[in-house]
Amino acid sequence: MSALVVRLALLCVLPVLLLLFASAMPGINPLWDFANVAGLFCAVLMLTLFIYSGRPLALPYFDGKFFMNLHRDLGFAATLLLVVHVGVLLISEPLVIDYLKPSASWPMLSGTLSLVPLLLLVPASLPGVRQRIWGNQRRFRRWHYVLGTLMLVLISLHVLGAGFYTRDSWKGFVWSGLVGVAIAWPLLPKAPLPRGHGPRRRRTASYASWLCLALVLLALAGAAGYALLANSDLPL
């Protein structure tokens, strides 16, 4: 379990640190910076959904419900950070509402359009709805992957097009590379899971929820810390 915690923390934190502190941009104001870094953490969590897709892993040696809940709750965590991103921006700068209109520029419009597959993914993933629409698991996984890929591409167009944290071309290449790896990850052949000694540990699903809650708190704390640092007299 500790190895999974470390991997998830690194996956979520390292890309954000790279984009924020390499060729750092000046702070705008604390609320604006907090909201945008929360949005950046949201985008990174969307990447992890393709890595931790609900398929059981060799370690931790937990039952399948843990991994299913981990994928589900990572999605909830990303959605919560998205709400923080949009909500705080609207509070700090009401004119941001113009970015949600059809007349907005394409980087802003792509961010708004990414909500469409997200709003389809969340309710359609509920067991009762899923079975009625797709009937079998294989068909559901195919459409879930397609909608998730569309959402990630739209979010990436938003991140790259806005350009505040990806203005340097090398940052754009790094982000595009991360997105490409994430999208390709579920399609790569997977080795059969090794048999462990005895049955997998059960009643661990709640651990996934606590882990995702910790990631949300880490992201919010990181966004707040960066906002304070970027708007202080200390050099980045």
Side-chain angles (χ1 to χ4, degrees):
M1 179 67 173
S2 58
L4 175 64
V5 172
V6 171
R7 285 198 302 270
L8 267 172
L10 291 176
L11 281 172
C12 292
V13 171
L14 288 182
V16 175
L17 289 178
L18 181 64
L19 294 177
L20 291 180
F21 289 101
S23 304
M25 299 298 293
I28 304 300
N29 69 59
L31 280 179
W32 193 94
D33 292 313
F34 170 78
N36 279 287
V37 175
L40 195 56
F41 272 111
C42 165
V44 172
L45 275 179
M46 293 294 186
L47 295 177
T48 66
L49 286 167
F50 286 78
I51 308 300
Y52 296 98
S53 60
R55 180 179 182 271
L57 302 176
L59 293 173
Y61 200 59
F62 294 164
D63 64 6
K65 288 185 179 179
F66 170 84
F67 297 98
M68 291 173 62
N69 279 20
L70 180 62
H71 180 78
R72 181 199 67 189
D73 292 343
L74 283 172
F76 288 154
T79 303
L80 178 59
L81 290 174
L82 177 62
V83 171
V84 171
H85 170 63
V86 176
V88 176
L89 279 178
L90 288 172
I91 292 171
S92 65
E93 180 50 75
L95 291 177
V96 167
I97 199 168
D98 290 335
Y99 295 157
L100 305 179
K101 297 178 180 178
S103 58
S105 62
W106 69 264
M108 300 300 109
L109 194 57
S110 62
T112 304
L113 288 175
S114 69
L115 291 173
V116 175
L118 177 63
L119 293 174
L120 292 172
L121 281 166
V122 173
S125 299
L126 298 174
V129 179
R130 182 178 66 207
Q131 292 171 5
R132 287 188 177 186
I133 296 176
W134 285 283
N136 62 68
Q137 188 72 6
R138 179 176 296 180
R139 191 177 300 167
F140 163 73
R141 283 185 172 274
R142 184 185 306 125
W143 280 103
H144 192 76
Y145 172 79
V146 169
L147 289 172
T149 300
L150 175 61
M151 178 183 64
L152 185 56
V153 169
L154 289 170
I155 289 173
S156 297
L157 290 174
H158 176 62
V159 172
L160 295 172
F164 191 75
Y165 300 120
T166 55
R167 184 165 300 172
D168 294 335
S169 57
W170 68 268
K171 288 185 179 182
F173 285 122
V174 168
W175 180 257
S176 299
L178 291 173
V179 171
V181 169
I183 291 174
W185 191 267
L187 304 178
L188 298 176
K190 304 293 189 299
L193 292 176
R195 288 184 175 274
H197 299 288
R200 285 179 173 266
R201 186 177 172 186
R202 302 179 64 185
R203 298 179 181 175
T204 57
S206 62
Y207 296 168
S209 301
W210 286 109
L211 175 56
C212 292
L213 176 60
L215 286 174
V216 169
L217 296 177
L218 176 65
L220 294 175
Y226 177 82
L228 294 174
L229 177 60
N231 290 276
S232 70
D233 293 332
L234 296 174
L236 282 177

